[in-house]
Amino acid sequence: MIVGIMHFTDRIGEGIGQPRFDSVGGEELMHVQPGVTIALGRLSPESPGTLYISNRRVIWLSDTDRDKGYAVDFLSISLHAVSRDPETYPSPCIYTQIEVEDAKDDEFEGLDAECPDETYLSKITEMRLVPHDPNQLDTLFDIFCQCVELNPEPLEGDDEENSWIFGEDFSDDGDQPEWHLSEDLANPIGQVNGNPDLAHSVLHLQINDQRFEDAEEMEDANHN
Amino acid sequence: MLFFSYFKELVGKEVTVELKNDLAIRGILHSVDQYLNIKLENTRVVDQEKYPHMLSVRNCFIRGSVVRYVQLPPDGVDIDILHDATRREARGA
């Protein structure tokens, strides 16, 4: 699932600490870059922090505030580049574009009530990382490249999207008044011998077939 | 693997990569991997007025899954080779 930028506060250790990685799930630290400022979207840059790059995600932690940190999965980073032109951004930086979900999602509405900040973060589509030493830019760029390649797209994503589209079609067709009106006219598609109950059950049959296995669709086609 | 093999042949040539968010970037194809992640050099954004913040970018790495189209250089399209390759791919599938 694409989640964009998230808050990150899960630190371990004394003092300012460091991020807790999901070592059980195979997460490994790849690179630490101290002295990095982060700028999210059009927000002004944060105070300096430290960048932790794991094989899964990029984590930035503030050096002064233990409760301030951000994380973004490599799966959500659609593009990264080295930006050096002072006219478009005052400091040389790693420029990234973040893929975000459609903001109309129910889950985000739920989050909104609890923590509006999180919703705002999840809509941010650009992130800039400014190392105080610009000579580190090429190294960081290369590490980003390596890590993106470690995170190919999960394959099951397409199936989920398809069933969601079918689900919406189902509720639109089933609840619209046009469907009932059409019963008074000439035989609508799927209506047999003017029996609306039968037509209704045929409609359900077809919808169920779409949502389940291919094999059932084939079977249905044979019957027809 | 057909696209991967084919794109590898285009390394060093100029291509235009159009992303699913409508951003289009033209540049020299530096490298491509099996996930069709694409690295471009000497990049420029096609619609600079709409994406002024991308002006400063000279090289970039694009995640394969966000690419919508790759526009090819005409001299990089050898129709005979592509015909053969697609037939082989179809037989193998």
Side-chain angles (χ1 to χ4, degrees):
Chain A
M1 193 180 85
I2 303 295
V3 287
I5 300 170
M6 292 165 286
H7 283 291
F8 188 94
T9 54
D10 191 9
R11 301 194 192 199
I12 53 173
E14 296 293 308
I16 205 66
Q18 48 187 297
R20 183 199 309 273
F21 294 106
D22 177 18
S23 47
V24 178
E27 187 173 24
E28 289 173 35
L29 181 63
M30 307 288 282
H31 186 78
V32 180
Q33 186 67 51
V36 175
T37 304
I38 192 170
L40 300 176
R42 292 178 186 181
L43 302 175
S44 28
E46 306 271 2
S47 59
T50 303
L51 194 69
Y52 297 85
I53 302 175
S54 82
N55 55 345
R56 297 264 185 78
R57 53 189 168 161
V58 178
I59 299 171
W60 177 91
L61 298 185
S62 165
D63 285 345
T64 52
D65 182 352
R66 210 181 147 105
D67 292 327
K68 179 167 268 185
Y70 304 103
V72 59
D73 291 346
F74 278 108
L75 279 172
S76 299
I77 298 180
S78 39
L79 176 155
H80 69 267
V82 175
S83 166
R84 285 200 169 92
D85 183 354
E87 288 195 12
T88 45
Y89 200 74
S91 322
C93 62
I94 297 284
Y95 169 82
T96 62
Q97 284 192 357
I98 312 295
E99 193 177 1
V100 296
E101 290 244 322
D102 192 328
K104 297 283 181 199
D105 203 295
D106 283 343
E107 286 180 55
F108 285 128
E109 282 172 29
L111 277 174
D112 192 25
E114 268 184 323
C115 180
D117 222 11
E118 198 76 28
T119 309
Y120 185 78
L121 273 187
S122 69
K123 291 177 184 166
I124 289 177
T125 56
E126 291 180 325
M127 172 178 78
R128 288 180 173 85
L129 299 163
V130 187
H132 295 184
D133 175 8
N135 294 322
Q136 296 300 319
L137 283 170
D138 288 327
T139 309
L140 286 173
F141 179 84
D142 289 340
I143 293 169
F144 268 60
C145 292
Q146 288 169 23
C147 291
V148 172
E149 293 184 7
L150 294 175
N151 289 270
E153 212 66 12
L155 287 174
E156 62 271 18
D158 285 349
D159 293 340
E160 272 176 30
E161 199 163 291
N162 281 341
S163 66
W164 181 81
I165 289 169
F166 284 132
E168 187 171 77
D169 284 346
F170 165 60
S171 61
D172 279 358
D173 290 343
D175 296 335
Q176 276 173 7
E178 285 89 340
W179 168 252
H180 301 289
L181 283 175
S182 68
E183 284 174 9
D184 298 328
L185 305 171
N187 288 353
I189 295 170
Q191 188 160 348
V192 182
N193 297 333
N195 182 341
D197 284 334
L198 187 56
H200 203 62
S201 61
V202 167
L203 176 72
H204 275 288
L205 195 66
Q206 285 168 344
I207 287 160
N208 286 340
D209 285 349
Q210 278 180 330
R211 297 166 95 190
F212 294 111
E213 297 300 315
D214 285 342
E216 287 185 37
E217 273 179 39
M218 297 282 288
E219 207 174 278
D220 189 50
N222 290 338
H223 286 302
N224 291 342
Chain B
M1 295 304 275
L2 173 62
F3 282 108
F4 175 42
S5 314
Y6 180 59
F7 284 146
K8 275 197 298 188
E9 299 295 312
L10 295 174
V11 165
K13 294 196 154 79
E14 188 178 70
V15 297
T16 302
V17 179
E18 184 183 325
L19 275 55
K20 289 175 185 167
N21 66 5
D22 294 337
L23 175 65
I25 306 167
R26 192 170 300 152
I28 306 296
L29 185 62
H30 173 275
S31 55
V32 59
D33 68 13
Q34 57 172 319
Y35 306 112
L36 304 184
N37 295 323
I38 289 174
K39 203 191 272 187
L40 294 180
E41 289 187 330
N42 299 326
T43 55
R44 60 184 188 280
V45 173
V46 174
D47 188 353
Q48 298 192 335
E49 287 184 7
K50 198 171 166 192
Y51 303 96
H53 53 284
M54 289 289 295
L55 274 176
S56 58
V57 167
R58 288 290 165 260
N59 62 341
C60 72
F61 183 104
I62 301 161
R63 188 175 178 80
S65 59
V66 301
V67 173
R68 181 187 291 145
Y69 297 122
V70 178
Q71 294 171 27
L72 309 169
D75 67 343
V77 183
D78 186 322
I79 290 175
D80 292 334
I81 290 179
L82 276 177
H83 267 164
D84 284 351
T86 44
R87 283 196 199 103
R88 270 200 305 274
E89 185 91 353
R91 274 203 299 271

